[in-house]
Amino acid sequence: MNKQLLFIKRPIGAADASTWSLEENPIPEIKEGQILVKQHYISLDPAMRGWMNEGKSYIAPMEIGSVMRAGSVGEVVATKNPKFKIGQYVAGTGGVQQYAVTDGKGYYQVDPQIAPLPMYIGTLGMPGMTAYFGITEVAKVKEGETVLVSGAAGAVGSIVGQVAKIKGCKVVGIAGGPDKCKYVVEELGFDACIDYKNENVASRFKEECPKGIDIYFDNVGGEILEIALSRLRMHARIVICGAISQYNNKTKIKGPSNYLSLLVNRASMTGMVVFDYADRYAEGAQILGGWLAKGKLKSREDVYEGIENFPETYNRLFSGEKMGKLVLKVIED
């Protein structure tokens, strides 16, 4: 039998247990061209909240009754596709279920001997690719610049800041709570970290970035984006990667009011969607993997167990009760 988490109700505000239904269904027989993947881990990402909404976005909304969309990594246990062999490990978008049937499109082979499986849906997966291409291609980071990163202890922000340090920048993070700020500075090597829960963010901005910022990599939106706009240097770049502070709003998303700072400083604000770089994922993974091997880059996965615990684990994305990449183990090794 296959345990599956089905999406049964579009949430208004925060998603809760009533948003999904956990069911057991027979594992389907595969057809020609398909493979069956025994999924070990699934990825939990803030973007999931947006996928539940009805309406136009960068990806089609999930349909009611469908398996909850999620990145995943697991083992091929049956195949009628010549591109895949039994025993291979693959990563793709298998959804929140223990077994996934797919034609293999969008799946790629991974090696658990090179890196732990959860890392392939973290630093070597979509979050890592988002961070790498976001800071290097969208922000076009340059040596000597000052980079500000929100969500600095998260899956994307933690990699963004480390890559910026590797590129020779001053990097200031923003995170919630002293433990996360300590982790960002002492373990990840950021120059400083602002605790938005316990410090005056605007005052700390001025203290840590007295000459302003060249790049703001935004994962949270809201008030912090507003403050960052007031600290831009000439020709600064803002990368809009996410807005987790706004995802569970029951009213309209709050946008910045001082956007004319972009005009005054000849700055830019650009949206970033990682799927635009899908044909370059191998390139990004090779570079990030090289830095990991040399100890220049650190990866942290926060792993929880049990597909039945998905709702509780998902809520950690928004409560802040996690460190690094949030991962759920859905089946025994």
Side-chain angles (χ1 to χ4, degrees), residues 59-289:
I59 189 171
M62 290 190 301
E63 296 182 2
I64 297 296
S66 64
V67 174
M68 179 65 200
R69 184 183 292 157
S72 58
V73 63
E75 180 185 2
V76 177
V77 292
T79 178
K80 291 185 179 180
N81 185 322
K83 295 180 180 179
F84 298 91
K85 298 178 180 178
I86 291 176
Q88 286 181 335
Y89 286 86
V90 294
T93 308
V96 185
Q97 56 184 340
Q98 293 178 319
Y99 291 86
V101 173
T102 173
D103 61 6
K105 185 178 180 181
Y107 278 74
Y108 55 93
Q109 187 176 354
V110 301
D111 188 345
Q113 300 301 315
I114 295 176
L117 288 178
M119 198 178 289
Y120 289 107
I121 48 176
T123 301
L124 297 177
M126 186 176 70
M129 299 305 106
T130 302
Y132 177 75
F133 291 110
I135 193 65
T136 61
E137 295 291 330
V138 182
K140 299 188 185 304
V141 65
K142 302 182 186 70
E143 184 178 358
E145 292 188 315
T146 297
V147 179
L148 180 69
V149 184
S150 59
V156 174
S158 63
I159 304 302
V160 168
Q162 290 184 85
V163 172
K165 285 299 297 179
I166 290 169
K167 296 292 184 179
C169 297
K170 175 182 179 179
V171 181
V172 177
I174 305 169
D179 291 342
K180 287 188 177 182
C181 286
K182 183 178 180 181
Y183 164 68
V184 166
V185 174
E186 296 185 6
E187 293 192 40
L188 302 183
F190 285 45
D191 295 284
C193 189
I194 300 168
D195 181 356
Y196 75 87
K197 290 185 177 180
N198 300 294
E199 296 181 300
N200 184 301
V201 176
S203 296
R204 292 282 279 120
F205 268 13
K206 293 179 182 179
E207 182 182 322
E208 298 295 345
C209 310
K211 296 182 180 180
I213 55 176
D214 298 291
I215 295 171
Y216 173 46
F217 198 99
D218 187 25
N219 291 302
V220 303
E223 183 182 355
I224 291 176
L225 172 58
E226 183 86 3
I227 297 171
L229 278 162
S230 70
R231 302 296 300 166
L232 300 183
R233 297 183 69 182
M234 194 67 70
H235 304 298
R237 289 88 70 202
I238 295 177
V239 179
I240 302 297
C241 178
I244 196 169
S245 72
Q246 304 295 302
Y247 289 165
N248 290 325
N249 284 5
K250 294 183 179 181
T251 57
K252 290 184 178 179
I253 287 177
K254 298 177 182 178
S257 62
N258 62 340
Y259 68 93
L260 285 179
S261 177
L262 297 170
L263 184 155
V264 172
N265 295 291
R266 288 71 150 180
S268 65
M269 186 157 63
T270 307
M272 192 274 171
V273 175
V274 70
F275 302 136
D276 294 343
Y277 298 88
D279 61 344
R280 297 178 60 188
Y281 284 177
E283 171 194 339
Q286 184 176 18
I287 292 170
L288 293 173

